[in-house]
Amino acid sequence: MLKDITLGQHFPGNSVLHRLDAMIKIILSMLYLVLIFLVKGFVGYGLLAIFVFCIILLSTVPIKFVLKGLKPLLIFIIFTAILNLFMTSGTVIWQWSFLKLTYEGIYFAVFMILRIVFLVLGTSLLTYTTSPIALTDGIERFLTPFAKIGAPTHELAMMMSIALRFIPTLLEETDKIMKAQMARGADFESGNLIKRARALIPLLVPLFISAFRRADELAIAMECRCYQGGKNRTRLNVVKVGKIDIIASLVFLLCAAVILTANLAG
Amino acid sequence: MIKTEKLTFNYSGEQPNVLKDIDIEIKNGEFVAVLGHNGSGKSTLAKHFNAILLPVGGTVYANGINTKDESRLYDIRRAIGMVFQNPDNQIVATIVEEDVAFAPENLGVPTAEIRETVDWALDTVGMTEYKQHAPHLLSGGQKQRIAIAGVLAMKPKCIVLDEPTAMLDPIGRKEVMDTLMHLNSKNAMTIVLITHNMDEAVNADRVIIISDGEIVKDAPPHIVFSDVDEIKALGLDVPQVTELMYELRKAGLDVPSGVITIEDAYKALSEVAG
Ligand SMILES: Nc1ncnc2c1ncn2[C@@H]1O[C@H](COP(=O)(O)OP(=O)(O)O)[C@@H](O)[C@H]1O
Ligand SMILES: [Mg+2]
């Protein structure tokens, strides 16, 4: 049952977006974030909406699936909207004791909602179209320049990929321990919160002990295979930025330029 | 290939030594099985072969290099590969071929050469068709073959395996044993196999039995298993055929001792039957 959890929310496919190099996708996503915060006014947001819609279509990820990513943030969005609605000073439209609904408030609330929605839609497309492995690799290459100033980029990437490697193993183990404890009468599903949390202790203790033992054995196995950190390391798969990545970047920059110009004019 | 001289070792100073005056020499191309009950020091001994542990007393030479020579640590590690019991805890990457590439990547081998080595290693263990798979979805025997391929990718002279079949089902065991026999006969790979399974040990050229950190037997399997009472006194079993012949002999049948293969047993029994 635990095995069914999808991690990283990857949606496999073969669209242009899937085939783009992960590092390029990370950089473009960052530029996209900047773009969202530069855009003001309805013309800008209208164009941005069209842009995001086109990208979602291009990704072949079902729109319903993409919109689902907004669900956990719904409360946060509503909260921010209400805060903006009533806490912005300006021309008062309607007032009830200390609550003031202002024209500016409505304006800011709408834009805040749009910003968050665009932000979530755009960035979730990054994880939907990039496998966790490619993402890790992309992050490592993205951070490479920082290694020169002593940042532990190789270690970070190694940690991420080992975590990815062991998540299924540990999930499987959790499942096994849970079943073993249930067979002995453990009850993980009933009772109040405290009772349930306490029921987890006999699950977590063996899980942690086993995880430490695994870590120990893995460390020795890695030493046996001549692991010596990131220095002088070569790679089996050297990813090169290809034609498609350059074209995608140019198209993105062009769209961004159009949106920003329209934004200034509008 | 591997030579120990008066090797002694203990984990924390005081206690009785875990290894006591061990002298062994493993020659190029040999297939050696190491037996011994739990806690007799087999894993500790194995870890001396590629300088994971260093002797407290005596010397270990791996591929002719003293394991105390720190400057040649990686020459030792790449010459003597090591495979462990739990395949899950030695696979590093999320894709089979990337895992096999781990060692050559660490050694700074050029990319094109890594590709070639990885393909060769996967082909040697018969796992080529799984090269793009996620390791956690494979069977135990397949995972252990990936682990062997990962070690092969260093192009070692010798592979030391510490109970590689202990967690596997009979099919997985056979896969791993077939792979090892193939490596030994076709690639002239030196194999040191630590095992609990006597039926695996009979495949070896030589069996070493270790008890409480001392070597008590070091001979070809048919000689080691000829004294069944002595083996049992050491807390070990004998191969199934040997056990059968032993019981028959006890029952008064005139069959020879030291029979370790089914063919030999068949021959001996046919003679008795006339
Ligand atoms: N990391 C360790 N620290 C302390 N003692 C250990 C350690 N590993 C093994 N031992 C002890 O060394 C002895 C030999 O263990 P080991 O080499 O694992 O035996 P085997 O592999 O034959 O079962 C045992 O008594 C064990 O308790
Ligand atoms: Mg052991």
Side-chain angles (χ1 to χ4, degrees):
Chain A
M1 49 185 177
L2 276 167
K3 265 194 197 166
D4 305 331
I5 299 174
T6 51
L7 284 141
Q9 289 290 310
H10 177 48
F11 193 93
N14 197 27
S15 72
V16 185
L17 248 68
H18 283 88
R19 277 178 285 145
L20 277 190
D21 174 50
M23 181 183 71
I24 297 289
K25 268 191 276 191
I26 292 171
I27 295 175
L28 292 184
S29 299
M30 289 186 161
L31 291 178
Y32 169 78
L33 293 190
V34 176
L35 182 66
I36 291 178
F37 283 95
L38 284 179
V39 169
K40 290 185 184 67
F42 286 105
V43 184
Y45 278 108
L47 287 175
L48 202 58
I50 296 172
F51 175 71
V52 172
F53 186 71
C54 290
I55 297 231
I56 294 176
L57 282 186
L58 212 65
S59 72
T60 66
V61 180
I63 293 191
K64 237 172 54 194
F65 205 77
V66 182
L67 290 178
K68 246 189 2 205
L70 287 171
K71 228 168 142 192
L73 287 167
L74 211 60
I75 294 179
F76 176 69
I77 294 175
I78 293 173
F79 183 72
T80 333
I82 292 178
L83 218 62
N84 271 294
L85 267 182
F86 293 107
M87 296 295 161
T88 321
S89 51
T91 336
V92 180
I93 305 173
W94 178 81
Q95 190 166 16
W96 184 73
S97 90
F98 68 96
L99 287 178
K100 275 183 294 192
L101 189 65
T102 60
Y103 172 73
E104 284 82 358
I106 297 177
Y107 184 84
F108 277 126
V110 170
F111 284 125
M112 226 37 214
I113 293 175
L114 285 176
R115 268 185 192 165
I116 297 173
V117 169
F118 286 140
L119 197 135
V120 174
L121 290 185
T123 45
S124 58
L125 268 186
L126 172 67
T127 49
Y128 282 140
T129 61
T130 319
S131 75
I133 308 160
L135 202 58
T136 318
D137 189 60
I139 294 172
E140 182 178 11
R141 282 188 298 130
F142 176 69
L143 292 176
T144 312
F146 300 100
K148 297 217 170 62
I149 57 167
T153 55
H154 165 77
E155 286 75 9
L156 267 176
M158 195 56 154
M159 270 161 57
M160 281 194 286
S161 62
I162 286 180
L164 284 175
R165 150 73 189 83
F166 275 90
I167 282 168
T169 310
L170 289 176
L171 281 180
E172 205 174 302
E173 185 146 35
T174 313
D175 213 26
K176 228 191 280 171
I177 299 174
M178 234 163 142
K179 281 187 184 132
Q181 307 281 32
M182 267 146 75
R184 290 180 220 159
D187 180 3
F188 294 107
E189 268 135 31
S190 63
N192 59 22
L193 204 67
I194 295 173
K195 215 172 150 198
R196 276 201 228 180
R198 275 183 52 186
L200 284 180
I201 294 175
L203 175 71
L204 291 179
V205 171
L207 192 66
F208 266 81
I209 291 175
S210 135
F212 280 118
R213 205 198 52 235
R214 282 180 193 282
D216 214 34
E217 285 182 21
L218 183 72
I220 291 185
M222 284 169 72
E223 267 190 65
C224 286
R225 287 162 79 185
C226 302
Y227 182 62
Q228 39 195 314
K231 65 172 195 300
N232 301 328
R233 222 168 169 262
T234 46
R235 298 302 299 262
L236 167 68
N237 293 314
V238 183
V239 192
K240 278 210 202 88
V241 173
K243 222 198 244 159
I244 166 173
D245 300 304
I246 295 170
I247 295 173
S249 307
L250 290 178
V251 170
F252 176 85
L253 289 178
L254 190 71
C255 291
V258 169
I259 293 173
L260 282 181
T261 332
N263 183 45
L264 285 180
Chain B
M1 177 53 36
I2 295 170
K3 193 169 175 213
T4 71
E5 283 170 357
K6 296 235 164 296
L7 161 62
T8 48
F9 182 81
N10 54 44
Y11 278 97
S12 52
E14 296 297 312
Q15 44 163 272
N17 286 340
V18 174
L19 297 176
K20 302 161 193 157
D21 281 336
I22 300 242
D23 282 298
I24 24 180
E25 187 173 356
I26 291 162
K27 296 201 180 62
N28 253 329
E30 248 185 330
F31 191 139
V32 178
V34 179
L35 306 176
H37 60 77
N38 267 331
S40 56
K42 304 180 299 289
S43 301
T44 309
L45 176 64
K47 285 182 184 145
H48 280 84
F49 293 164
N50 69 345
I52 293 290
L53 294 176
L54 295 176
V56 170
T59 335
V60 177
Y61 296 97
N63 199 20
I65 308 165
N66 187 332
T67 57
K68 282 191 175 138
D69 187 351
E70 246 177 76
S71 64
R72 304 203 52 194
L73 183 64
Y74 294 104
D75 292 331
I76 296 173
R77 296 257 165 93
R78 73 187 299 179
I80 317 281
M82 186 98 99
V83 174
F84 297 92
Q85 187 178 64
N86 189 338
D88 276 328
N89 298 351
Q90 43 191 326
I91 291 175
V92 197
T94 36
I95 291 180
V96 165
E97 67 169 12
E98 290 199 6
D99 185 72
V100 177
F102 183 68
E105 286 179 343
N106 290 335
L107 290 164
V109 175
T111 295
E113 207 177 306
I114 298 183
R115 174 96 269 157
E116 231 171 80
T117 313
V118 167
D119 289 346
W120 166 79
L122 281 171
D123 183 51
T124 309
V125 301
M127 289 294 288
T128 304
E129 57 179 309
Y130 294 95
K131 72 183 186 183
Q132 294 293 341
H133 282 230
H136 73 272
L137 299 176
L138 301 176
S139 75
Q142 290 173 327
K143 280 188 220 173
Q144 205 58 297
R145 275 148 71 199
I146 296 302
I148 294 173
V151 162
L152 275 181
M154 299 191 288
K155 302 257 171 100
K157 297 242 168 64
C158 168
I159 302 185
V160 180
L161 304 99
D162 192 351
E163 302 190 32
T165 60
M167 302 184 73
L168 307 183
D169 56 12
I171 297 170
R173 280 185 185 183
K174 188 170 173 343
E175 284 173 21
V176 170
M177 279 313 289
D178 289 347
T179 307
L180 295 182
M181 308 283 280
H182 175 89
L183 277 172
N184 181 244
S185 57
K186 297 279 168 357
N187 301 52
M189 185 73 70
T190 312
I191 306 266
V192 178
L193 173 68
I194 297 172
T195 181
H196 261 132
N197 187 321
M198 300 302 146
D199 292 301
E200 289 172 10
V202 300
N203 294 313
D205 301 323
R206 193 172 136 202
V207 173
I208 295 175
I209 297 184
I210 164 167
S211 178
D212 292 325
E214 279 175 294
I215 291 188
V216 290
K217 287 256 173 199
D218 182 350
H222 64 95
I223 294 176
V224 166
F225 291 126
S226 61
D227 193 343
V228 177
D229 291 315
E230 196 186 352
I231 301 286
K232 295 207 161 177
L234 290 169
L236 298 171
D237 282 329
V238 292
Q240 281 173 1
V241 229
T242 317
E243 176 89 37
L244 173 70
M245 300 305 272
Y246 171 72
E247 292 296 335
L248 287 176
R249 209 143 41 95
K250 264 209 313 204
L253 223 58
D254 181 27
V255 289
S257 60
V259 174
I260 53 169
T261 63
I262 295 178
E263 292 80 54
D264 286 351
Y266 176 76
K267 229 184 281 167
L269 286 175
S270 323
E271 264 167 40
V272 171

